[in-house]
Amino acid sequence: MEVYINVKNFGKIKEARINISNFTVFVGNNNSGKTQLMQLIYAVVKVLSRVAPDITLPEIGDIEGFRIGKREVEELNMWVNQYLMSQKDRIVEDTFNVVIPIEEISVDFVDYADFTRDMYFLRGRTLEYLTEKRMITSEQLTRVAQREDKAVPMLILPSENSDSDVVSRITGWFGMGIPLKIMQSIGVSYILASILGGRDFTRFNMLFLPTSRTGMLLLYKYYFVNRDKAVEQADAVSQNVQGMAEPVSDFLSFLMTYSYSGRAAKKNEKLIRFISDHLIDGRIKETGETTIYTPRSTEKEIPLFVASSMVNEIAPILKALTNSKETGFIFYDEVETSLHPLKQIEMAKLLNRLNNSGIRLIISTHSDTMATRLNNLMLLSHGGLDFEKVQRSLKKQGIIVEKDDLLVSNRMHVYQFVNVSDKESIVQELEFHKAPMTGYDFTLFNDSTEILFNEAKAVLGLEDED
């Protein structure tokens, strides 16, 4: 299923239709609305992942369960858009702590004809049914039975004839006395969250990485101390204690509540090793409440605040990969911040690897190096090129590209933000053209390259005289 978020007359953005289903890239000039739109999308997904849609689901035979298919998705989509239109002004004001005009916001669910989810509430005949259909193995049944006397587990399956690996995706354990109708509502909420945030809703935790990450990483504890002091003042709430957009505040909360998980670190070991070897040239570890950086080829440990801004910029990604609360959706603003052009090349590889691991991405950049590298990797991934041949050619030039650097999915959507005036910008989706074409045509960067070229000609006295 593809998910689009549509906005009309939001701030300076006249109109935009953004696919958020897998890997989304924003490119454009400063002050063109990239960050503001990214924050709004974050807020919409966050809000919708917490609501309880009022739709009716058909029951599955005479057992305790419900099914959601094409008709129910259509009804869910309609409900979501009615909710967004009624709440759009409140959502914007709560997100940005200021009033920003917005005429319209909506969500479109596309390509869901084959979408099917079955929800089962495991008690009594439901367990017998799933066992008989071989949808639960004996080992999984034991795991359910061990907690059956305490609560009722709920499973959501892709279809009735799904594989048996289902118990690992239990969304929650609910008391025996909860009415089935309420549990249906809870199940619909989880399904909506899975549509917005990914197929595996147990991974549905979002992380917004704002600009100025280094400063926030160094000062977030002081922020919370000062905020708590401000809250004690009688008029603190009316004076907007946070003084920042909600996604940025959420990032600070992520830093504050971060808890290292050895299980998560082991699961993401390859990603962590790539970051250490190709981006930060060293290792980062947590010692109590202190983050320690150890440069490559040395045993010297230094606090993170002494390390370079580049290391500090990358540290939140490592925290996300080692956090006890797994991250499934990352919003990464100005992804090239503090990165040398050569490091930007490695960052483009990391983004592909993160997406390949199952993490959805929305990123923004105004770096032609970053955009070009993402484009080149997309051409290698899905441009119809002979990868081994290109790989050998690149290696002769000292450029190493591995198969793991390629994007497995071809579902990348690139949007170019263009200022048409001081008060208005337009958002254009760029079409991908396979080789021998050039992938995405970043006309914005072509213009800046031409300006620099003409400037160099004039400086060197190579400008043609009239």
Side-chain angles (χ1 to χ4, degrees):
M1 184 185 301
E2 300 296 305
V3 180
Y4 289 85
I5 290 186
N6 312 292
V7 299
K8 185 176 182 181
N9 292 327
F10 167 60
K12 69 182 300 182
I13 296 175
K14 184 176 182 180
E15 193 171 5
R17 177 173 170 81
I18 307 298
N19 187 306
I20 65 166
S21 305
N22 183 55
F23 194 159
T24 305
V25 181
F26 291 170
V27 298
N29 290 326
N30 292 325
N31 198 33
S32 58
K34 300 188 304 299
T35 297
Q36 201 169 67
L37 183 56
M38 184 184 291
Q39 290 179 339
L40 178 64
I41 293 172
Y42 173 93
V44 168
V45 175
K46 179 180 178 181
V47 166
L48 291 180
S49 70
R50 297 180 176 182
V51 297
D54 183 18
I55 70 170
T56 302
L57 300 184
E59 296 186 21
I60 302 176
D62 59 350
I63 65 171
E64 293 177 312
F66 299 93
R67 173 165 295 145
I68 182 169
K70 178 182 177 181
R71 185 190 66 79
E72 289 73 36
V73 172
E74 291 174 347
E75 186 178 347
L76 181 60
N77 199 166
M78 186 181 302
W79 185 94
V80 163
N81 287 332
Q82 291 173 346
Y83 178 84
L84 287 177
M85 283 304 294
S86 68
Q87 301 293 320
K88 60 183 176 62
D89 294 323
R90 181 187 62 80
I91 291 172
V92 170
E93 188 168 354
D94 288 349
T95 301
F96 298 97
N97 290 304
V98 294
V99 175
I100 300 175
I102 181 169
E103 180 180 339
E104 184 179 313
I105 183 166
S106 63
V107 174
D108 288 337
F109 301 149
V110 180
D111 296 335
Y112 53 79
D114 297 328
F115 183 91
T116 302
R117 292 292 184 273
D118 290 351
M119 299 186 298
Y120 298 96
F121 305 100
L122 303 189
R123 51 187 171 190
R125 282 202 58 199
T126 310
L127 281 174
E128 297 175 7
Y129 175 85
L130 293 175
T131 306
E132 181 182 320
K133 294 290 185 179
R134 297 185 179 180
M135 298 173 72
I136 292 184
T137 65
S138 57
E139 179 184 352
Q140 291 168 332
L141 182 59
T142 300
R143 290 169 54 192
V144 172
Q146 288 173 347
R147 302 183 64 172
E148 187 180 8
D149 59 333
K150 299 178 182 178
V152 180
M154 178 181 69
L155 299 98
I156 297 180
L157 312 179
S159 66
E160 186 174 342
N161 297 316
S162 167
D163 293 335
S164 61
D165 185 20
V166 291
V167 175
S168 62
R169 291 190 279 130
I170 292 176
T171 62
W173 296 78
F174 308 103
M176 293 290 288
I178 297 180
L180 201 60
K181 185 68 176 177
I182 294 178
M183 297 184 75
Q184 170 199 299
S185 178
I186 295 171
V188 174
S189 298
Y190 278 115
I191 287 176
L192 177 58
S194 73
I195 291 173
L196 294 167
R199 190 168 71 98
D200 186 354
F201 46 81
T202 62
R203 290 168 54 88
F204 188 69
N205 298 308
M206 297 191 300
L207 174 62
F208 189 94
L209 298 177
T211 55
S212 305
R213 291 176 286 276
T214 297
M216 294 183 188
L217 195 65
L218 300 180
L219 300 174
Y220 70 92
K221 292 181 181 179
Y222 296 99
Y223 160 77
F224 282 103
V225 170
N226 292 330
R227 187 197 66 171
D228 292 342
K229 289 181 180 178
V231 169
E232 295 174 1
Q233 301 176 7
D235 61 344
V237 175
S238 64
Q239 293 183 10
N240 180 16
V241 173
Q242 293 192 123
M244 63 181 68
E246 185 180 24
V248 179
S249 177
D250 286 352
F251 171 66
L252 296 178
S253 297
F254 160 75
L255 296 176
M256 197 69 180
T257 59
Y258 166 78
S259 175
Y260 177 83
S261 166
R263 180 193 61 81
K266 184 175 181 180
K267 178 179 180 180
N268 296 311
E269 184 178 0
K270 289 183 66 175
L271 287 168
I272 294 169
R273 188 184 309 120
F274 180 87
I275 293 172
S276 297
D277 294 344
H278 295 269
L279 279 162
I280 65 173
D281 302 319
R283 300 289 185 271
I284 285 179
K285 69 176 183 179
E286 304 295 327
T287 303
E289 295 186 358
T290 304
T291 304
I292 300 297
Y293 171 65
T294 304
R296 182 185 297 160
S297 304
T298 178
E299 297 300 321
K300 185 177 181 179
E301 296 182 345
I302 60 176
L304 188 62
F305 65 83
V306 179
S308 71
S309 60
M310 182 268 292
V311 174
N312 277 272
E313 289 291 332
I314 301 299
I317 290 292
L318 285 166
K319 287 181 177 290
L321 294 174
T322 57
N323 193 21
S324 57
K325 190 175 182 180
E326 193 171 10
T327 299
F329 203 153
I330 295 178
F331 295 69
Y332 207 148
D333 199 12
E334 293 192 15
V335 69
E336 75 278 2
T337 302
S338 294
L339 295 181
H340 182 277
L342 291 178
K343 291 298 184 183
Q344 291 184 40
I345 292 174
E346 300 305 316
M347 173 56 79
K349 295 179 182 178
L350 174 63
L351 294 172
N352 283 353
R353 288 170 179 246
L354 288 170
N355 188 249
N356 291 343
S357 74
I359 296 176
R360 284 194 186 187
L361 295 170
I362 298 182
I363 71 166
S364 76
T365 181
H366 41 60
S367 164
D368 56 350
T369 300
M370 177 61 69
T372 301
R373 187 56 174 179
L374 286 170
N375 183 61
N376 290 346
L377 288 175
M378 190 62 176
L379 279 169
L380 277 174
S381 303
H382 300 287
L385 300 171
D386 183 336
F387 172 71
E388 283 74 18
K389 181 179 179 180
V390 175
Q391 185 184 42
R392 290 193 297 270
S393 177
L394 290 173
K395 190 173 183 180
K396 292 178 182 178
Q397 303 175 49
I399 302 172
I400 305 300
V401 179
E402 304 294 342
K403 280 196 172 181
D404 287 345
D405 300 325
L406 304 185
L407 194 62
V408 172
S409 171
N410 64 356
R411 294 162 62 213
M412 174 185 279
H413 293 266
V414 179
Y415 299 89
Q416 183 170 262
F417 289 60
V418 181
N419 289 319
V420 294
S421 71
D422 292 338
K423 297 182 179 180
E424 184 178 300
S425 65
I426 58 174
V427 182
Q428 309 163 327
E429 181 167 8
L430 301 183
E431 186 177 354
F432 179 75
H433 300 279
K434 292 186 176 183
M437 302 298 285
T438 56
Y440 298 104
D441 184 12
F442 298 105
T443 56
L444 190 71
F445 295 135
N446 294 341
D447 292 343
S448 62
T449 302
E450 184 177 356
I451 290 172
L452 290 173
F453 177 71
N454 291 333
E455 179 186 60
K457 285 174 62 179
V459 169
L460 296 172
L462 300 176
E463 188 73 28
D464 294 333
E465 296 183 3
D466 294 335

